[in-house]
Amino acid sequence: MTGVASGQVFGNFTYTDDGTSITITDYPETATGVVVIPDTIAGKPVTAIGANAFQFCVGITSATIPASVTSIGVSAFDGCSALTSAPIPSGVTTLQPYAFKDCAALAAMELPSGLTSVEVGLFTKCVGLASVIIPPTVTNIKDNAFTGCKALVAVSLPSGLTTIGFGAFSNCGGLTSLTIPAGVTAIAVGAFSSSNALTSIVFQGPVTTIGTNAFLYCSQLSNFTIPATVTNIGRGAFGGCSALQSIHIPPNVNTIGTASAPNIFIDCSALTSITVDPANQNFSSVAGVLMNKSQSILITYPKGLSGAFLIPSSVTGISIQAFANCDKLTAVTMPSGLANIASKAFSGCSMLSVANFTGNAPATMSGNAFELCASNFAVYYPSTATGFTSPTWFGYPAFAVTGVDPVVAWLTTHQLPADSDLKSDLDGDGVSLLMAYALNLNPNQNLSGALPQPVLTTSQMSLSFYAGAAGIAYMVESSTDLQFWSTSGVSVSAPDANQIRTATVGNAATSRFMRLVVRR
């Protein structure tokens, strides 16, 4: 019977002998300079480098691994911080987890074609690794394989790849672009988190899942298209993507975040618009704000929006952290049917000074909903409303006011006097306060280019406009001479999910004009 002889020494190498081959098991941590691993010892081939064999050999600068080696063990070169070169022989078929972890000086690696996976933590914290060649045989890049490879500026993923693991490319600060092969269907938890130079990602296949924190703090990611095949987007998937300006939710998405963390765009400071495919059966968008399909729950308010916001009348609930850290929000008006404000809904809105309620107090209200808002933050509510207390409500200054109606709420939300003349045009942009209210526009901005414009085709003229303001009657008229106006021949659609109506009228042989009339 043949046994394994352990603890034998050849020069500085400690090895084991199984009777037919040699495994290197240890090397002095105090060693420095170049290491040349022999291809034979005692007439037998060196076929393996064992677990932890060169771990923490912080003084070695390069390692020559013989062609006879087929296996490199767990943490074999872990912590060899001065190691600049260690070419892996083409015959290596087993490359165990963390084999080159914390090899900070390692600049380039080519993985052998016999590998089918890049193991867990293989190059974790190889901060100097600028180039890596992954063979086409690899189908799986496992958890944290390249975590912290800050110098990695480009990597070509093999076409046969099917899995990218947890944190696989997290904190790769030099990585600017990636193409995800067609076989990858899920972006794992934290796969690219804190890769803050990443600007472009191309998906070649039917990705269905974007995992929790998948792109967290990818601060340069300004242009991102969620594939149409995606059905699930995990908690915090795009949190801290501070360059992201707009995002579109495709039709098949049925899950965004979790019940306890639904705002996947928190701290996206440039984000001004979240749109949703009209075919989506679970979510919708109003004025760039993410809501559930029925528009009863407000899920996420984009942090990049500024000024005041009038929450649509359909909203009965505001989700956890829906407005969190929206530091450009100055005032908000709550609809009369609001029943629930969840935990930290407005937390960190440092410029928010006015919360204007138009109905009774919500039945459910989290005490920290308005924490860390402006120092002069206050709640205003109708004197006839129930459920509020004064001088404070949940610890926030609260004041009862008389005769609050939707228009008054809108005016005060935009920091205008409650008795403002709705016919007035305060800044001379040609848009009255009444028209701004009716079209859900911000009266503190120049609106000369914001009014609905007719669209002319060969067969008809159409005009689309917001028609969801409470207490407003909307009417569209047409004319051929700008003197006589009539609704005759004008067809107006029912409001869509975003309260948009479209009026159409057939083309006439003579000139055709359309105008929108609003009345209170």
Side-chain angles (χ1 to χ4, degrees):
M1 182 176 178
T2 302
V4 175
S6 61
Q8 299 182 74
V9 176
F10 177 81
N12 283 332
F13 300 96
T14 300
Y15 67 93
T16 60
D17 181 349
D18 67 1
T20 58
S21 62
I22 302 296
T23 297
I24 303 298
T25 59
D26 198 17
Y27 195 75
E29 290 184 9
T30 56
T32 59
V34 175
V35 174
V36 178
I37 300 171
D39 56 1
T40 62
I41 293 177
K44 298 166 187 172
V46 174
T47 61
I49 299 172
N52 314 115
F54 294 89
Q55 189 178 37
F56 304 137
C57 291
V58 296
I60 63 173
T61 56
S62 69
T64 299
I65 302 171
S68 56
V69 169
T70 60
S71 175
I72 299 176
V74 174
S75 299
F77 292 91
D78 178 13
C80 294
S81 55
L83 186 68
T84 60
S85 174
I88 302 172
S90 60
V92 170
T93 57
T94 302
L95 191 54
Q96 295 285 351
Y98 307 108
F100 293 95
K101 175 178 171 286
D102 278 321
C103 291
L106 199 61
M109 289 296 283
E110 180 175 355
L111 300 179
S113 61
L115 295 181
T116 58
S117 66
V118 180
E119 285 296 328
V120 173
L122 184 62
F123 296 106
T124 291
K125 296 183 182 178
C126 289
V127 295
L129 186 66
S131 172
V132 62
I133 297 176
I134 303 173
T137 52
V138 167
T139 60
N140 186 2
I141 296 177
K142 294 188 177 180
D143 297 352
N144 300 312
F146 295 95
T147 293
C149 293
K150 296 183 178 181
L152 191 64
V153 295
V155 60
S156 179
L157 300 178
S159 60
L161 190 68
T162 60
T163 305
I164 298 175
F166 176 100
F169 291 92
S170 63
N171 202 25
C172 290
L175 196 62
T176 58
S177 64
L178 269 177
T179 297
I180 309 297
V184 176
T185 59
I187 306 302
V189 174
F192 303 98
S193 63
S194 298
S195 292
N196 51 19
L198 196 60
T199 60
S200 173
I201 298 175
V202 176
F203 296 93
Q204 294 185 324
V207 171
T208 60
T209 300
I210 297 176
T212 296
N213 298 340
F215 298 100
L216 182 70
Y217 297 125
C218 288
S219 57
Q220 297 302 310
L221 194 62
S222 59
N223 184 18
F224 187 90
T225 300
I226 299 174
T229 51
V230 167
T231 59
N232 300 293
I233 305 175
R235 174 175 54 84
F238 297 94
C241 291
S242 54
L244 193 64
Q245 299 177 30
S246 64
I247 197 79
H248 181 72
I249 307 297
N252 297 313
V253 173
N254 54 52
T255 302
I256 294 178
T258 63
S260 61
N263 187 351
I264 65 171
F265 302 106
I266 196 165
D267 287 331
C268 292
S269 54
L271 186 65
T272 58
S273 176
I274 305 169
T275 57
V276 180
D277 192 292
N280 190 292
Q281 296 301 303
N282 301 283
F283 302 98
S284 64
S285 174
V286 176
V289 178
L290 181 64
M291 299 191 183
N292 66 347
K293 185 64 175 180
S294 65
Q295 297 177 3
S296 61
I297 305 298
L298 192 154
I299 300 170
T300 301
Y301 179 84
K303 184 177 179 179
L305 292 176
S306 61
F309 182 61
L310 178 67
I311 296 177
S313 59
S314 60
V315 172
T316 60
I318 299 174
S319 289
I320 296 171
Q321 295 187 312
F323 292 81
N325 300 336
C326 289
D327 51 8
K328 301 181 186 70
L329 180 70
T330 57
V332 62
T333 294
M334 311 290 185
S336 60
L338 187 65
N340 174 48
I341 301 179
S343 176
K344 299 189 175 183
F346 295 88
S347 175
C349 294
S350 56
M351 296 295 290
L352 182 62
S353 59
V354 174
N356 200 343
F357 288 81
T358 60
N360 294 333
T364 306
M365 161 76 177
S366 175
N368 59 11
F370 296 99
E371 67 179 12
L372 303 177
C373 287
S375 59
N376 61 338
F377 172 78
V379 168
Y380 298 87
Y381 62 91
S383 57
T384 56
T386 61
F388 292 97
T389 57
S390 186
T392 63
W393 179 61
F394 284 92
Y396 306 111
F399 303 93
V401 293
T402 302
V404 174
D405 66 18
V407 175
V408 172
W410 179 81
L411 288 167
T412 55
T413 293
H414 289 284
Q415 300 177 330
L416 296 172
D419 59 353
S420 296
D421 181 1
L422 294 181
K423 296 179 182 179
S424 64
D425 176 9
L426 298 181
D427 54 7
D429 61 2
V431 181
S432 68
L433 287 177
L434 180 60
M435 183 62 75
Y437 168 71
L439 296 178
N440 196 30
L441 302 175
N442 185 346
N444 298 312
Q445 297 177 353
N446 189 308
L447 300 177
S448 56
L451 293 179
Q453 299 295 320
V455 175
L456 183 66
T457 66
T458 56
S459 61
Q460 67 179 25
M461 180 182 290
S462 63
L463 182 70
S464 296
F465 55 95
Y466 176 83
I472 293 294
Y474 297 84
M475 182 171 61
V476 178
E477 301 174 327
S478 71
S479 173
T480 57
D481 58 8
L482 292 178
Q483 296 184 34
F484 176 75
W485 293 88
S486 171
T487 60
S488 178
V490 179
S491 174
V492 182
S493 71
D496 65 10
N498 295 323
Q499 298 298 316
I500 302 297
R501 292 188 176 208
T502 299
T504 56
V505 64
N507 277 346
T510 55
S511 300
R512 174 73 77 180
F513 305 93
M514 296 182 79
R515 73 180 183 184
L516 172 65
V517 179
V518 298
R519 291 192 178 91
R520 182 170 183 246

